[in-house]
PDB file of all heavy atoms in Angstrom:
ATOM      1  N   ASP A 236      92.083 108.019  77.986  1.00 86.00           N
ATOM      2  CA  ASP A 236      91.174 108.924  78.699  1.00 86.00           C
ATOM      3  C   ASP A 236      91.882 110.162  79.238  1.00 86.00           C
ATOM      4  O   ASP A 236      91.233 111.135  79.621  1.00 86.00           O
ATOM      5  CB  ASP A 236      90.519 108.199  79.874  1.00 86.00           C
ATOM      6  CG  ASP A 236      89.580 107.104  79.407  1.00 86.00           C
ATOM      7  OD1 ASP A 236      89.118 107.170  78.255  1.00 86.00           O
ATOM      8  OD2 ASP A 236      89.309 106.172  80.195  1.00 86.00           O
ATOM      9  N   THR A 237      93.207 110.108  79.306  1.00 84.00           N
ATOM     10  CA  THR A 237      93.961 111.243  79.839  1.00 84.00           C
ATOM     11  C   THR A 237      94.674 112.029  78.742  1.00 84.00           C
ATOM     12  O   THR A 237      95.558 112.837  79.030  1.00 84.00           O
ATOM     13  CB  THR A 237      94.995 110.762  80.868  1.00 84.00           C
ATOM     14  OG1 THR A 237      95.872 109.803  80.245  1.00 84.00           O
ATOM     15  CG2 THR A 237      94.311 110.113  82.050  1.00 84.00           C
ATOM     16  N   GLY A 238      94.294 111.781  77.487  1.00 75.00           N
ATOM     17  CA  GLY A 238      94.839 112.560  76.375  1.00 75.00           C
ATOM     18  C   GLY A 238      96.039 111.961  75.693  1.00 75.00           C
ATOM     19  O   GLY A 238      96.622 112.601  74.815  1.00 75.00           O
ATOM     20  N   ALA A 239      96.439 110.752  76.057  1.00 67.00           N
ATOM     21  CA  ALA A 239      97.587 110.106  75.403  1.00 67.00           C
ATOM     22  C   ALA A 239      97.102 109.421  74.129  1.00 67.00           C
ATOM     23  O   ALA A 239      96.801 108.233  74.117  1.00 67.00           O
ATOM     24  CB  ALA A 239      98.236 109.106  76.343  1.00 67.00           C
ATOM     25  N   GLU A 240      97.007 110.185  73.055  1.00 60.00           N
ATOM     26  CA  GLU A 240      96.455 109.657  71.803  1.00 60.00           C
ATOM     27  C   GLU A 240      97.420 108.733  71.078  1.00 60.00           C
ATOM     28  O   GLU A 240      97.024 107.758  70.453  1.00 60.00           O
ATOM     29  CB  GLU A 240      96.066 110.822  70.885  1.00 60.00           C
ATOM     30  CG  GLU A 240      94.947 111.692  71.424  1.00 60.00           C
ATOM     31  CD  GLU A 240      93.634 110.933  71.530  1.00 60.00           C
ATOM     32  OE1 GLU A 240      93.455 109.941  70.801  1.00 60.00           O
ATOM     33  OE2 GLU A 240      92.790 111.321  72.357  1.00 60.00           O
ATOM     34  N   ASN A 241      98.715 109.058  71.140  1.00 66.00           N
ATOM     35  CA  ASN A 241      99.708 108.295  70.377  1.00 66.00           C
ATOM     36  C   ASN A 241     100.406 107.299  71.299  1.00 66.00           C
ATOM     37  O   ASN A 241     101.456 107.586  71.883  1.00 66.00           O
ATOM     38  CB  ASN A 241     100.730 109.243  69.741  1.00 66.00           C
ATOM     39  CG  ASN A 241     100.075 110.185  68.754  1.00 66.00           C
ATOM     40  OD1 ASN A 241      99.212 109.773  67.973  1.00 66.00           O
ATOM     41  ND2 ASN A 241     100.471 111.455  68.790  1.00 66.00           N
ATOM     42  N   LEU A 242      99.800 106.136  71.436  1.00 69.00           N
ATOM     43  CA  LEU A 242     100.401 105.105  72.272  1.00 69.00           C
ATOM     44  C   LEU A 242     101.572 104.453  71.557  1.00 69.00           C
ATOM     45  O   LEU A 242     101.510 104.200  70.351  1.00 69.00           O
ATOM     46  CB  LEU A 242      99.359 104.041  72.616  1.00 69.00           C
ATOM     47  CG  LEU A 242      98.144 104.503  73.430  1.00 69.00           C
ATOM     48  CD1 LEU A 242      97.223 103.320  73.688  1.00 69.00           C
ATOM     49  CD2 LEU A 242      98.561 105.138  74.729  1.00 69.00           C
ATOM     50  N   THR A 243     102.656 104.211  72.278  1.00 78.00           N
ATOM     51  CA  THR A 243     103.796 103.537  71.684  1.00 78.00           C
ATOM     52  C   THR A 243     103.495 102.047  71.554  1.00 78.00           C
ATOM     53  O   THR A 243     102.557 101.523  72.160  1.00 78.00           O
ATOM     54  CB  THR A 243     105.045 103.720  72.563  1.00 78.00           C
ATOM     55  OG1 THR A 243     104.838 103.024  73.803  1.00 78.00           O
ATOM     56  CG2 THR A 243     105.302 105.196  72.860  1.00 78.00           C
ATOM     57  N   MET A 244     104.310 101.369  70.760  1.00 77.00           N
ATOM     58  CA  MET A 244     104.128  99.931  70.608  1.00 77.00           C
ATOM     59  C   MET A 244     104.310  99.222  71.953  1.00 77.00           C
ATOM     60  O   MET A 244     103.637  98.240  72.242  1.00 77.00           O
ATOM     61  CB  MET A 244     105.130  99.384  69.589  1.00 77.00           C
ATOM     62  CG  MET A 244     104.840  99.817  68.154  1.00 77.00           C
ATOM     63  SD  MET A 244     103.182  99.308  67.610  1.00 77.00           S
ATOM     64  CE  MET A 244     103.336  97.532  67.670  1.00 77.00           C
ATOM     65  N   SER A 245     105.214  99.756  72.787  1.00 76.00           N
ATOM     66  CA  SER A 245     105.421  99.169  74.104  1.00 76.00           C
ATOM     67  C   SER A 245     104.163  99.307  74.958  1.00 76.00           C
ATOM     68  O   SER A 245     103.775  98.371  75.665  1.00 76.00           O
ATOM     69  CB  SER A 245     106.602  99.859  74.809  1.00 76.00           C
ATOM     70  OG  SER A 245     106.783  99.337  76.111  1.00 76.00           O
ATOM     71  N   ASN A 246     103.502 100.471  74.889  1.00 78.00           N
ATOM     72  CA  ASN A 246     102.271 100.677  75.661  1.00 78.00           C
ATOM     73  C   ASN A 246     101.161  99.753  75.190  1.00 78.00           C
ATOM     74  O   ASN A 246     100.399  99.210  75.993  1.00 78.00           O
ATOM     75  CB  ASN A 246     101.808 102.129  75.540  1.00 78.00           C
ATOM     76  CG  ASN A 246     102.748 103.097  76.230  1.00 78.00           C
ATOM     77  OD1 ASN A 246     103.642 102.684  76.958  1.00 78.00           O
ATOM     78  ND2 ASN A 246     102.557 104.382  75.997  1.00 78.00           N
ATOM     79  N   ILE A 247     101.054  99.591  73.876  1.00 81.00           N
ATOM     80  CA  ILE A 247     100.021  98.707  73.323  1.00 81.00           C
ATOM     81  C   ILE A 247     100.273  97.262  73.746  1.00 81.00           C
ATOM     82  O   ILE A 247      99.351  96.533  74.123  1.00 81.00           O
ATOM     83  CB  ILE A 247      99.985  98.835  71.791  1.00 81.00           C
ATOM     84  CG1 ILE A 247      99.505 100.240  71.390  1.00 81.00           C
ATOM     85  CG2 ILE A 247      99.077  97.776  71.172  1.00 81.00           C
ATOM     86  CD1 ILE A 247      99.644 100.547  69.919  1.00 81.00           C
ATOM     87  N   ALA A 248     101.544  96.853  73.715  1.00 82.00           N
ATOM     88  CA  ALA A 248     101.885  95.494  74.130  1.00 82.00           C
ATOM     89  C   ALA A 248     101.591  95.289  75.614  1.00 82.00           C
ATOM     90  O   ALA A 248     101.112  94.235  76.029  1.00 82.00           O
ATOM     91  CB  ALA A 248     103.360  95.216  73.844  1.00 82.00           C
TER      92      ALA A 248
END
Side-chain angles (χ1 to χ4, degrees):
D236 293 338
T237 58
E240 295 295 336
N241 298 318
L242 298 180
T243 67
M244 290 302 296
S245 178
N246 292 350
I247 293 171

